[in-house]
Amino acid sequence: MSFTMNAKKLPAILLGTGLLLGGCSGNNSDGAPSESAAGTSSANPSASTNSGWQGTITMYAQVYTPNSKNIAGLKNQTKLREVADEYEAAHPGIKIEFVDEEFKDYTQTVRVKAAAGEMFDVFWGQWAELNNTFPKGIAEDLTEYFNKPNPYIPDKATWAEAMNTTVISETRSPDSKSYNINGDYVATAFFYNKDLFEQAGIAQAPTSWSELISATQQLKAAGITAMSQAPDYDWFQRHFLSDFFSKEYESISAFDESPGVSSLDQSIAIVKGMLNTSDERFMGWWPLFKSLTDNWKPDYLSSDPGVVGSNARNDFLAGKTAIFYDGSWLPENAKDAKVTFGLGSFNFPVLTTADTPYTTGEDVSGAVGGPNAAFQFAVSTKEANATMKETGKQAAVIDWLQFLGTPANVEKIVNEHGTFVPTWPDTKPAESMIELANQASNKLKALGVGGSSPNLGKNIQRIFGLYLSGNIDFDKAKADVQKELDTAIKEYQSKNNVDFSQY
């Protein structure tokens, strides 16, 4: 299954459904985690909205669809059904019905259903699609509800106080509206084999770039394959460029006057010399990264990550390599593979000037992932869903969303799936996600190139692999990358009839 992030694509992961989507500490973005998950889901009918409406609320819950029989590759999920049963018991006459259907093109499905006035009452919608891609007016603005008490979270003055405030602020539409409740996060990290670390005499996971280099050297010296995979250029460029160009983010993202960094923003930045090889920062991370891959087994370095990714992942799960950089779905892969070694994880480290003079010291561990997973639910409007015109139905649907949207329910539903990180304060991630939880509080300011041409990312990936494997030197790589950038800009200009001189 693939997930979008920051209005860009995250590489395909997990299931092939063709959908767009990845000690215990909490995820409070502005305070310390509490001892336990607050805001229980215990039904309190007297506190809920009593609209008088009765009937069936339909909901498309994506990978959290309970007891699914029709969504390929989806493991049996039960927690959301348990929450729905609890709600139904407290609200006689209301039924929650989950849509168990696989959509080959979900965006097109949304467009067709909304145009016909047949949209689901509650539907999966990521912030970027709700703000930009989906037809306007199909999802209710939930801002006023965020700013009022949620009757199922009695210890918070407003519903928003129970949510991740960073996610709310970073995912609002250009006119400051919130169209979904957003409760989970796709994370990426270095996963490691604790047994092999111990065998090499490494007492703890690396917390800095120098410690990461040292760990790979120590593993190699102990006769252990430190890492072996094809490093994804798209992923790692986001880490480094989001750091190196963090002070230019607002300028780069503002060219098209819309949220996030679009393909037009990228193209203009390339033309203006902000994101091309004339700026030393653009490829200044390549030698730094090669200092890491020089300690890897070179088998996959010059390969296409999409081709050899599964083989490299299987090597790690089989205990043949000590470290593997992947997404938050890997712990579930490990369970499926019945691994016997201890599995740990650590974030992409914050760089220092001792590592590279180009760093700004930003924490960019979350630059690849984002709040773009599956616990993102919107409520359809009367224009997109004719049944919402029934007296009292909208209030009932919002009430169900409030019942669903408590820290306790977010935690149990997200952790059952085991692929993503719950992001709300007073939630605890699954044990395998503990080290990744802080990524959910990072600002969504990822930078990279690749949107100017369908072939740009693929071609730079090839050059990247040739450089890391020692087949070409840095000067040759730099010249080749600039050629690809120039070609991509010409292609973008031709296809989109853009006059770059106006920017």
Side-chain angles (χ1 to χ4, degrees), residues 48-49 57-61 79-88 91 94-98 121-122 150 152 159 181 377 379 393-406 409 413:
S48 66
T49 300
I57 295 174
T58 59
M59 179 174 182
Y60 176 55
K79 297 301 182 184
L80 183 52
R81 182 68 259 176
E82 291 175 9
V83 172
D85 289 344
E86 189 177 351
Y87 186 82
E88 290 177 358
H91 300 78
I94 294 181
K95 298 295 181 184
I96 309 298
E97 179 181 288
F98 295 100
D121 299 330
V122 179
N150 179 331
Y152 303 104
W159 194 7
I181 60 169
F377 300 125
V379 173
K393 180 171 183 179
Q394 184 187 74
V397 174
I398 293 291
D399 189 67
W400 155 242
L401 195 69
Q402 290 177 319
F403 186 90
L404 172 64
T406 67
N409 285 336
I413 293 167

Side-chain angles (χ1 to χ4, degrees), residues 173-210:
S173 69
D175 53 354
S176 298
K177 295 180 179 180
S178 294
Y179 292 109
N180 68 10
I181 60 169
N182 193 319
D184 60 359
Y185 198 94
V186 179
T188 57
F190 291 94
F191 293 88
Y192 68 101
N193 184 320
K194 291 183 177 181
D195 296 1
L196 292 181
F197 266 50
E198 182 178 355
Q199 186 178 324
I202 303 172
Q204 61 185 21
T207 59
S208 65
W209 187 260
S210 61

Side-chain angles (χ1 to χ4, degrees), residues 57-112:
I57 295 174
T58 59
M59 179 174 182
Y60 176 55
Q62 226 259 9
V63 299
Y64 296 121
T65 301
N67 308 315
S68 174
K69 295 180 175 61
N70 300 313
I71 301 178
L74 184 61
K75 293 182 179 180
N76 188 42
Q77 307 292 300
T78 63
K79 297 301 182 184
L80 183 52
R81 182 68 259 176
E82 291 175 9
V83 172
D85 289 344
E86 189 177 351
Y87 186 82
E88 290 177 358
H91 300 78
I94 294 181
K95 298 295 181 184
I96 309 298
E97 179 181 288
F98 295 100
V99 177
D100 182 13
E101 188 175 350
E102 184 171 320
F103 303 106
K104 299 300 181 183
D105 186 337
Y106 183 64
T107 299
Q108 182 63 14
T109 297
V110 170
R111 290 181 181 276
V112 171

Side-chain angles (χ1 to χ4, degrees), residues 13 16 21 44-45 51 96 103 120 132 150 155 174 229 256 264 292 294 315 333 335 356 361 379 404 445 456 475 491:
I13 57 171
L21 285 191
N44 181 4
S51 67
I96 309 298
F103 303 106
F120 312 122
N132 301 294
N150 179 331
D155 61 338
Q229 64 185 110
D256 68 355
L264 176 60
L292 175 66
D294 281 348
D315 287 345
N333 295 160
K335 286 183 182 178
T356 170
V379 173
L404 172 64
K445 294 186 176 181
L456 180 57
D475 289 338
E491 182 177 349

Side-chain angles (χ1 to χ4, degrees), residues 192-481:
Y192 68 101
N193 184 320
K194 291 183 177 181
D195 296 1
L196 292 181
F197 266 50
E198 182 178 355
Q199 186 178 324
I202 303 172
Q204 61 185 21
T207 59
S208 65
W209 187 260
S210 61
E211 288 181 5
L212 175 57
I213 297 293
S214 177
T216 57
Q217 292 172 336
Q218 198 167 337
L219 287 160
K220 188 176 181 180
I224 298 169
T225 301
M227 295 185 72
S228 181
Q229 64 185 110
D232 192 311
Y233 171 78
D234 183 52
W235 285 20
F236 286 106
Q237 69 158 339
R238 296 187 202 193
H239 283 307
F240 287 100
L241 298 186
S242 298
D243 172 2
F244 294 1
F245 289 86
S246 66
K247 291 181 172 60
E248 286 82 14
Y249 178 86
E250 301 301 337
S251 298
I252 293 172
S253 64
F255 289 124
D256 68 355
E257 300 180 350
S258 65
V261 180
S262 66
S263 57
L264 176 60
D265 290 329
Q266 290 182 20
S267 300
I268 296 170
I270 292 171
V271 170
K272 287 183 171 292
M274 302 172 78
L275 289 178
N276 74 25
T277 61
S278 64
D279 190 312
E280 291 185 353
R281 293 172 295 176
F282 184 73
M283 287 183 64
W285 63 276
W286 284 40
L288 179 68
F289 195 76
K290 192 173 187 300
S291 69
L292 175 66
T293 58
D294 281 348
N295 298 318
W296 297 15
K297 187 177 179 180
D299 295 26
Y300 301 124
L301 281 179
S302 58
S303 303
D304 182 339
V307 174
V308 302
S310 294
N311 291 337
R313 183 180 296 105
N314 290 337
D315 287 345
F316 174 74
L317 296 175
K320 296 179 181 179
T321 55
I323 307 172
F324 190 74
Y325 192 84
D326 210 359
S328 50
W329 50 88
L330 188 125
E332 279 300 299
N333 295 160
K335 286 183 182 178
D336 292 342
K338 296 180 172 56
V339 301
T340 58
F341 60 80
L343 179 67
S345 63
F346 56 94
N347 288 319
F348 184 90
V350 176
L351 300 174
T352 69
T353 52
D355 302 315
T356 170
Y358 305 125
T359 184
T360 60
E362 287 287 317
D363 181 353
V364 292
S365 59
V368 178
N372 313 289
F375 200 104
Q376 282 95 48
F377 300 125
V379 173
S380 61
T381 60
K382 295 175 182 178
E383 290 72 27
N385 181 340
T387 69
M388 285 294 193
K389 297 176 183 178
E390 298 172 13
T391 302
K393 180 171 183 179
Q394 184 187 74
V397 174
I398 293 291
D399 189 67
W400 155 242
L401 195 69
Q402 290 177 319
F403 186 90
L404 172 64
T406 67
N409 285 336
V410 169
E411 179 179 312
K412 73 169 70 170
I413 293 167
V414 173
N415 286 348
E416 179 189 28
H417 192 267
T419 303
F420 310 116
V421 181
T423 63
W424 288 15
D426 302 318
T427 61
K428 295 177 181 178
E431 185 175 356
S432 59
M433 306 287 184
I434 290 172
E435 297 301 322
L436 314 184
N438 71 308
Q439 291 185 27
S441 295
N442 287 351
K443 294 182 179 179
L444 308 180
K445 294 186 176 181
L447 286 171
V449 297
S452 302
S453 162
N455 295 318
L456 180 57
K458 179 178 67 175
N459 291 342
I460 295 183
Q461 176 71 55
R462 175 181 54 79
I463 299 167
F464 190 51
L466 290 173
Y467 168 70
L468 294 178
S469 59
N471 287 289
I472 60 175
D473 62 19
F474 183 74
D475 289 338
K476 170 65 172 170
K478 185 176 179 180
D480 288 350
V481 166

